[in-house]
Amino acid sequence: MTDSKTTHIGFLIFPGFPMAALTSMIEPLRVANEITGREVFAWKLISETGARVQASALVWFDPDTALGDADGLDQIYVLSGPSSRFENPKTADGKLRKLARHGVTMGAVSGGIFPLARAGLLEDTEVSVHWCYSAAFHAEFPDLNASQSVIAQSKRRVTVSGAAAAFDLALHMIDGAVGPRVATEVACWFQHPMMRGQGVEQRRPTPNMASTDDMLPDILREAVDVFASHIEDPLKVADVADIVGVSVRQLERQFKQSTGQSPLRYYRAMRMKAARQLIHYSNDTLTEVAIAVGYTTSSAMIPNYIEAFGLHPSEDRRKINMFRVRENAVIPSD
């Protein structure tokens, strides 16, 4: 157990931020304060200008302070969508960098990694990237060390994949501040079954199946990893079979048994999901999106996109804009 100092935390919220990510951190910290009978943690809400902010769930929040006036913090966490940007990036990014220089731990939950990366604060560190944003993040920040871990922490930088991971992070913070007994009691209070940490991989849904990638047989998980690392430069199924050490026929049989799909259709579904991330969370042209997921032209990609999602990618982009809050996309809570 550490000393009795209070840890001061700031939550920097953007329009369209995921409300679940905020409550998943604040609630366990609040309960830790109640259990210990003292203010182990204190927090404040921050927005760029101090103005009210509407979450993705269309609930309004009144920040305690503007970013420019946010001082006395030990940690700050950015909560936003992938397309969130500061109104005055030069000033706001400068403030974040100043806080970092003065020893404030910089963190982000889910899409909050995008503004933090744009501020130049995630270089030379591992970054936890939600699987839903991996293609968009890699496209914008190809040189950053993106990870599928639910939590990535190093060098006063903490990034977590989503709301459930944010809850895990809060438990780790409680453990570090007041010990495992209180952390366990908080977890039990919310019926949280386990506390995940660094090195734990995210679970991803398998295309068109009521299962997750960690439920697949070892050979298929290995093949899926190969698929995922070759979105832009697709391999032939025969090449993938050779890499994982099985025959094409055996690979096809296992995919059919476990997913109901051929390896080729499974692979195509992964590429289409990557394309959809870029359609939703980037300003890339259709041609640029097509090239990023392994097609030479957009006309070659579009029929597969329509088959996968039931609408043209341009229509899909217009549709998602209908659900944005001031141009910031609603983002997943986990």
Side-chain angles (χ1 to χ4, degrees), residues 239-305:
D239 295 329
V240 177
D242 187 56
I243 291 171
V244 301
V246 298
S247 68
V248 172
R249 186 172 182 179
Q250 184 180 354
L251 187 65
E252 289 178 340
R253 184 170 59 250
Q254 289 202 25
F255 260 97
K256 192 68 174 180
Q257 290 173 347
S258 297
T259 71
Q261 300 178 66
S262 69
L264 183 61
R265 288 191 66 84
Y266 191 101
Y267 196 4
R268 184 185 298 161
M270 291 182 68
R271 292 165 62 199
M272 288 302 97
K273 285 193 172 185
R276 199 176 206 192
Q277 289 182 35
L278 298 175
I279 291 294
H280 284 183
Y281 307 123
S282 80
N283 293 320
D284 290 354
T285 65
L286 292 189
T287 298
E288 290 169 334
V289 171
I291 292 171
V293 296
Y295 292 86
T296 56
T297 64
S298 61
S299 59
M301 177 193 72
I302 288 170
N304 290 335
Y305 195 99

Side-chain angles (χ1 to χ4, degrees), residues 65-123:
T65 186
L67 178 59
D69 299 321
D71 293 305
L73 299 173
D74 299 302
Q75 305 173 19
I76 187 167
Y77 292 91
V78 181
L79 310 180
S80 77
S83 55
S84 296
R85 296 179 184 273
F86 288 117
E87 295 177 15
N88 187 339
K90 182 177 180 180
T91 299
D93 289 347
K95 175 63 176 182
L96 287 178
R97 289 193 289 267
K98 179 180 178 181
L99 290 170
R101 287 196 303 270
H102 285 77
V104 176
T105 294
M106 311 302 293
V109 180
S110 193
I113 58 174
F114 285 80
L116 209 57
R118 292 179 188 123
L121 289 167
L122 292 179
E123 297 174 357

